[in-house]
Structures are given as structure tokens and as C-alpha cells.
């Protein structure tokens, strides 16, 4: 299919095009937010800024914030990511899911991997939350912590699920929407183009993970989110299907939301566990978590190295009129190469 833009753009040009599409999509999303908030909550354009700045002080603050966050993320991120391959002449299936259909065990393994990694990630969260910067950066550290505290206050407010309806809405806005939109952008577009640009799948995955973590502007959570980005990146590289990192990302968000809802309903009263805390789980849990998570990652990696059934012929023959081989090649064929779904030689 021919697109409006050449499909042979340099990866850097594709990333710039993505930024432009995101700016346009955020404008469209902002208009939809304005209309939706007025129709659903009676909040006009002049009030939206005050409500989103201090949602707890407005009776419709929770609904306005959830609608704004969900629509802007879905349209601004997801819409832009979906528009780019269409503009460059790719089908969405070929661009985001070059290997399909995805086996069910990949989705289950991705979800299970995230749950297994929770104790190990808790150690990274505690360490990163307590990190300090050199003396000459103390002023910046204070500002960063203040920004982090405001973000945590907003998160605590949005995750107060007083009703089952709020819990479902939270699961969709905080669980489903980011899993779809952010994976389309950071793994589907950013990682793909960085891999092509650097001609290295590892460099591309690590750079995409760094961008993914930095874009959240929560510096005292940068390291655990960066590690999560690496896991999601390799899951996409190995599986060749965007649904796999989406399943992992959804599990990461949904697991936290379910724990918070269970705590608010009193289900975790005797467990002595606070899902909203940055305190690490016991060290031996962390070690076991790391070992089990590493084992799952290794098994998934090995799956990508398995020989495919019905391999193509590896030797050329000259056939006679009767269909029998009458000549064989005198020089050996060059060594086979393995090309990833991004077109990068993975045998090097």
C-alpha cells in the first residue's frame, strides 16, 4: 500500500514525524476532552485548568481527571503511533505484529514474568526512591522530589476506588489505555526505528527503555521503570508481536490496581503489606524473584532460537528433464544469517 510519505524515510525522520503526529493528536485529544468534560460533568473550558490542577477540591475532579488522562493518552500516544505506519504505506499488522498470530503461551509468560519480578522490582524501587544527588545538584533534587510528591498525591487520589464502578474505570484508564498506547509508541515505533538507526537491536532496546522511563518525569522511579522498559523491549524483539509487551504492561499496572482495591476493601488487613509503599520486600524474596524472572526470560529467548519446521532447502541442484538432480554446486553456500523483524542481522 502506498502512503502519503515514503516508506524509506531515515529512522530519525520517522521519529520526528512521530513527534509531529503526537502534537497534532494531542490537539485533537484536548478538544475531545473539552467536549467530553462539558457534556458529562458540566465543566467548561475555563474550569478545566483549575479542576485538573487541584481535582480533590472539585466534586467532579476524579471524573474529569480520569477522562482527561485516558483520552489524551489514547489519542495523543496511541493515535499518533497508529497514524505513522499508515502514512508511510505500511499495514498496521505488518508494522506492529510481523509475527502473527502470537502463541497464547507468550502472553501468559509475559504476564507471569511481571508478577514474578515484583519482589525484585521492590528492591529497585526502594533504592531509587532513596537516591541522592551530589551537593551541587541539591536544588534540582529538591525540585524533583517536590514534583515527585505532587505526582504521588495525584496518583493516590485517582486510585481511591470508593465504588466498583470507579475500580473498573481505573482499571481501564490506568491499566488498559497505557498498555496499548505506550507500547505502540515506545516499542512499536520508537524501539523499531532506534534498532534500525543504530543497526543494533540491543542498543535500540536500551535507548527506547531510557526514553520510556524519562518521559514519565519521575526521576526517583527512573531505574525500575527503565528495567521494566528493557523487559518489555526484549519481549517485543523476541516475540515479534506488540501484543506480548502489551500483556506484560497491562499486568504491571493492573496488578498494582487490584492490590490497592483489595487493600481498600480490607482484604489485605492481616497481610501487613502496603502496595503503595516504596519499602522493599525481604531480600531472599528479591533473590528468588530475580532467579525465577531470569529463568523465564531465558526460556523465552531460547524459544526464539528453536528451529522452525519445514526449513527451506539449503543446497542447490540442477534438475534434468526427468526431475532428477544432474549437477550439484561446486562451491559451498554462504553461511545463513538470521534477520529480525526490524531487518537487523541478529547473528552478529
Amino acid at each position: 500500500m502506498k502512503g502519503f510519505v515514503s516508506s524509506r524515510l531515515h529512522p530519525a525522520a520517522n521519529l520526528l514525524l512521530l513527534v509531529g503526529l503526537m502534537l497534532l493528536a494531542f490537539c485533537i485529544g484536548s478538544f475531545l476532552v473539552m467536549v467530553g468534560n462539558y457534556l458529562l460533568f458540566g465543566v467548561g473550558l475555563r474550569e478545566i485548568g483549575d479542576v485538573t490542577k487541584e481535582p480533590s477540591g472539585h466534586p467532579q475532579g476524579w471524573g474529569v481527571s480520569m477522562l482527561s488522562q485516558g483520552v489524551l493518552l489514547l489519542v495523543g500516544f496511541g493515535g499518533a503511533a497508529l497514524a505513522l505506519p499508515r502514512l508511510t504505506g505500511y499495514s498496521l499488522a505488518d508494522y506492529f505484529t510481523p509475527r502473527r498470530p502470537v502463541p497464547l503461551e507468550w502472553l501468559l509468560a509475559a504476564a507471569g514474568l511481571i508478577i514474578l519480578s515484583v519482589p525484585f522490582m521492590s528492591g529497585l524501587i526502594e533504592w531509587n526512591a532513596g537516591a541522592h544527588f551530589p551537593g551541587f545538584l541539591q536544588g534540582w533534587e529538591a525540585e524533583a522530589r517536590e514534583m515527585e510528591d505532587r505526582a504521588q498525591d495525584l496518583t493516590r487520589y485517582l486510585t481511591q476506588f470508593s465504588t466498583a464502578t470507579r475500580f473498573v474505570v481505573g482499571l481501564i484508564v490506568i491499566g488498559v489505555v497505557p498498555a496499548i498506547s505506550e507500547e505502540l509508541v515506545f516499542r512499536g515505533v520508537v524501539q523499531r526505528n532506534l534498532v534500525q538507526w543504530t543497526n543494533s537491536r540491543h542498543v535500540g532496546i536500551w535507548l527506547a527503555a531510557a526514553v520510556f522511563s524519562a518521559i514519565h518525569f519521575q526521576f526517583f522511579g527512573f531505574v525500575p521503570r527503565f528495567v521494566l522498559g528493557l523487559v518489555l523491549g526484549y519481549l517485543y524483539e523476541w516475540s515479534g508481536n506488540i501484543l506480548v509487551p502489551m500483556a506484560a504492561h497491562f499486568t504491571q499496572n493492573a496488578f498494582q490496581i487490584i492490590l490497592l482495591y483489595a487493600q481498600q476493601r480490607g482484604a489485605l488487613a492481616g497481610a501487613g503489606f502496603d502496595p503503595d509503599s516504596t519499602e522493599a520486600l525481604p531480600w531472599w524474596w528479591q533473590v528468588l524473584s530475580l532467579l525465577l524472572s531470569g529463568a523465564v526470560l531465558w526460556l523465552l529467548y531460547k524459544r526464539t532460537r528453536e528451529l522452525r519446521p519445514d526449513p527451506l532447502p539449503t543446497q542447490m541442484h540442477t534438475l534434468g528433464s526427468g526431475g532428477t538432480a544432474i549437477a550439484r554446486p561446486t562451491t559451498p553456500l554462504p553461511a545463513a544469517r538470521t534477520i529480525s523483524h526490524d531487518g537487523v542481522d541478529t547473528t552478529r
Side-chain angles (χ1 to χ4, degrees), residues 49-327:
D50 294 333
V51 175
T52 54
K53 183 178 180 180
E54 192 63 42
S56 59
H58 193 278
Q60 301 293 344
W62 192 88
V64 170
S65 297
M66 279 296 193
L67 178 65
S68 301
Q69 179 174 317
V71 171
L72 288 176
L73 192 58
L74 187 63
V75 177
F77 274 60
L82 291 174
L84 188 140
R86 301 298 294 178
L87 286 175
T88 53
Y90 290 93
S91 72
L92 298 182
D94 289 339
Y95 198 88
F96 294 111
T97 59
R99 297 176 192 162
R100 56 187 187 271
V102 59
L104 178 61
E105 56 263 29
W106 271 95
L107 301 177
L108 296 177
L113 172 64
I114 294 300
I115 295 176
L116 286 174
S117 68
V118 168
F120 171 70
M121 295 294 284
S122 73
L124 291 180
I125 291 171
E126 181 183 63
W127 172 82
N128 200 175
H132 293 283
F133 294 92
F136 66 94
L137 291 177
Q138 288 300 310
W140 183 86
E141 179 181 339
E143 293 179 3
R145 288 197 180 276
E146 183 180 352
M147 184 169 60
E148 191 95 0
D149 291 340
R150 288 198 300 268
Q152 288 180 357
D153 290 340
L154 177 61
T155 301
R156 290 191 187 98
Y157 172 71
L158 294 179
T159 53
Q160 290 296 318
F161 305 123
S162 56
T163 64
T165 300
R166 282 198 172 196
F167 168 69
V168 173
V169 172
L171 198 61
I172 294 172
V173 174
I174 304 175
V176 176
V177 173
I180 295 174
S181 302
E182 293 182 5
E183 290 312 301
L184 286 173
V185 169
F186 295 108
R187 254 56 65 181
V189 177
V190 174
Q191 178 174 305
R192 173 192 178 100
N193 283 279
L194 287 176
V195 167
Q196 292 176 347
W197 191 356
T198 62
N199 199 33
S200 169
R201 57 177 180 165
H202 298 296
V203 174
I205 290 170
W206 283 64
L207 287 176
V211 174
F212 167 71
S213 185
I215 206 70
H216 286 81
F217 294 101
Q218 292 179 308
F219 301 100
F220 296 99
F222 179 89
V223 174
R225 191 172 284 110
F226 173 71
V227 173
L228 174 64
L230 289 178
V231 172
L232 297 173
Y234 280 105
L235 286 176
Y236 183 45
E237 175 65 26
W238 295 338
S239 69
N241 195 302
I242 198 66
L243 294 178
V244 175
M246 281 182 180
H249 197 149
F250 169 74
T251 303
Q252 168 72 27
N253 295 348
F255 187 62
Q256 181 76 7
I257 293 171
I258 292 171
L259 288 178
L260 286 170
Y261 183 64
Q263 180 194 46
Q264 294 167 17
R265 305 294 288 185
L268 301 180
F273 172 67
D274 182 6
D276 202 30
S277 173
T278 59
E279 183 178 351
L281 292 171
W283 68 267
W284 59 273
W285 282 34
Q286 298 178 47
V287 173
L288 182 60
S289 170
L290 178 60
L291 294 175
L292 292 176
S293 300
V296 173
L297 285 171
W298 175 252
L299 290 174
L300 291 176
Y301 170 74
K302 293 293 288 183
R303 282 293 305 273
T304 67
R305 295 300 186 185
E306 290 179 355
L307 294 176
R308 299 292 187 267
D310 301 324
L312 295 175
T314 57
Q315 192 174 40
M316 297 175 60
H317 299 273
T318 301
L319 300 181
S321 58
T324 58
I326 59 175

